[in-house]
Amino acid sequence: MTSARPETLAVIGAGNMGNAIASLFARAGWRVVLIDPSEDARNRSRQHLLGGSTDPALGERLTWHAELESAHACTLVIEAAPENLVLKQRIFASLEAICSPQTIIATNTSGLSISRLAESLQRPERFVGTHFFTPAEIIPLVEVVGGARTDDATITRVLRILRDTGKRPVHVRKDIPGFIANRLQHALAREAMALLQDGVASAEDIDTVARWALGIRLALTGPLEQRDLNGLDIHLAIAEYLYPDLENSQTPLRVLREKVEQGDLGVKSGRGFYDWNTPERRQALRDKEAALRELAAHLETKP
């Protein structure tokens, strides 16, 4: 355990993301206070994190509480509440009144402005974005985002803390909507939905192209490095004629709006672009997590 590691971490929100972050830090040796006002959420979290655990020390490191006051002695707090600006701002204001002036308060927002979230804080220099990715205990990356008044020392310390837990943090140097990953992900998804909406190919075939032409290379080579490998002159030549034809809608596409309006929300509702109610799809969903673990472990051995 390094000297930079906080003695105790508080995680606000006992949903899927909060549970994963709590598990990650507890397994790395931290004492973790998991806070959620819902008794049902706390009970589900306790069962999820301890029910199948073979690590007896895990139960000693994790505690569950209903009140934010339980975070008073923590030196790092990570908020994983629903993606609601007003709710998050209210939580941060309460935490600032409870915690020490030295406490770092972090948000797991997927893309809300860090500067705006910190608008009413008295100590915005100790406020930072830490965007984990689902499933957070498997995906190595965390985007660390400072707001307009975040102190450089806060960024440096959080980067070091995350590396100590085995994560691969990146410093997002501008507080822009969606940060890096969601901007890349939404750009790809918008084009994929446009191809589906225009009848170019089926959802299955579009995903097959993304997985077996793009994804398999992106696991080892990022898009900018891949351009270097292909040749920037070739990329420029293609971009000259292709860019004007790419989807550039400034609003969500019709095919997405229609799915949501019909209640076809994806796995959570049983149907989205795919039917998730079939035994084959359910099994595939279970298999993906195991495959992600294997892939992440394999990539850790690569430069």
Side-chain angles (χ1 to χ4, degrees), residues 190-231:
R190 180 174 62 180
E191 188 62 35
M193 290 180 196
L195 294 169
L196 179 65
Q197 181 173 282
D198 293 343
V200 174
S202 67
E204 291 86 349
D205 285 347
I206 292 168
D207 280 351
T208 295
V209 171
R211 289 177 64 195
W212 293 104
L214 308 180
I216 197 168
R217 294 188 301 183
L218 287 173
L220 296 173
T221 306
L224 299 180
E225 185 181 25
Q226 186 63 47
R227 296 308 90 194
D228 271 359
L229 295 177
N230 287 358

Side-chain angles (χ1 to χ4, degrees), residues 22-55:
S23 175
L24 168 74
F25 278 81
R27 292 179 189 281
W30 294 51
R31 294 206 300 270
V32 179
V33 177
L34 222 167
I35 301 172
D36 196 296
S38 167
E39 183 177 4
D40 285 345
R42 295 195 304 274
N43 288 338
R44 288 194 302 270
S45 170
R46 189 179 290 107
Q47 177 60 35
H48 174 71
L49 293 177
L50 299 182
S53 174
T54 58
D55 181 1

Side-chain angles (χ1 to χ4, degrees), residues 85-272:
L85 177 70
V86 175
L87 171 64
K88 288 179 184 288
Q89 287 178 324
R90 187 163 63 243
I91 290 172
F92 301 142
S94 298
L95 285 170
E96 198 173 50
I98 293 165
C99 297
S100 160
Q102 283 70 50
T103 300
I104 294 175
I105 299 176
T107 174
N108 184 53
T109 180
S110 298
L112 292 174
S113 168
I114 305 303
S115 298
R116 189 171 181 194
L117 285 168
E119 278 177 346
S120 62
L121 293 182
Q122 299 300 308
R123 298 185 291 275
E125 69 276 6
R126 302 189 71 80
F127 182 75
V128 65
T130 52
H131 179 210
F132 292 77
F133 295 84
T134 302
E137 68 271 37
I138 300 176
I139 303 300
L141 188 82
V142 183
E143 292 178 319
V144 177
V145 191
R149 295 184 289 172
T150 303
D151 191 83
D152 287 345
T154 299
I155 296 287
T156 299
R157 188 176 181 197
V158 170
L159 288 169
R160 184 170 61 245
I161 286 169
L162 290 167
R163 291 190 190 104
D164 285 347
T165 66
K167 287 299 188 183
R168 287 179 175 262
V170 297
H171 180 197
V172 182
R173 300 177 185 276
K174 289 189 176 182
D175 181 16
I176 57 174
F179 312 141
I180 297 172
N182 269 326
R183 293 178 77 94
L184 294 174
Q185 182 171 252
H186 278 258
L188 176 60
R190 180 174 62 180
E191 188 62 35
M193 290 180 196
L195 294 169
L196 179 65
Q197 181 173 282
D198 293 343
V200 174
S202 67
E204 291 86 349
D205 285 347
I206 292 168
D207 280 351
T208 295
V209 171
R211 289 177 64 195
W212 293 104
L214 308 180
I216 197 168
R217 294 188 301 183
L218 287 173
L220 296 173
T221 306
L224 299 180
E225 185 181 25
Q226 186 63 47
R227 296 308 90 194
D228 271 359
L229 295 177
N230 287 358
L232 297 184
D233 53 336
I234 295 172
H235 182 82
L236 175 61
I238 296 173
E240 294 281 11
Y241 70 78
L242 184 58
Y243 279 18
D245 199 56
L246 292 176
E247 178 60 52
N248 64 355
S249 174
Q250 298 299 296
T251 57
L253 295 179
R254 183 186 74 252
V255 65
L256 175 59
R257 289 193 181 278
E258 288 177 350
K259 289 287 185 185
V260 173
E261 289 169 359
Q262 292 164 8
D264 294 338
L265 307 180
V267 173
K268 66 174 72 177
S269 67
R271 185 183 295 275

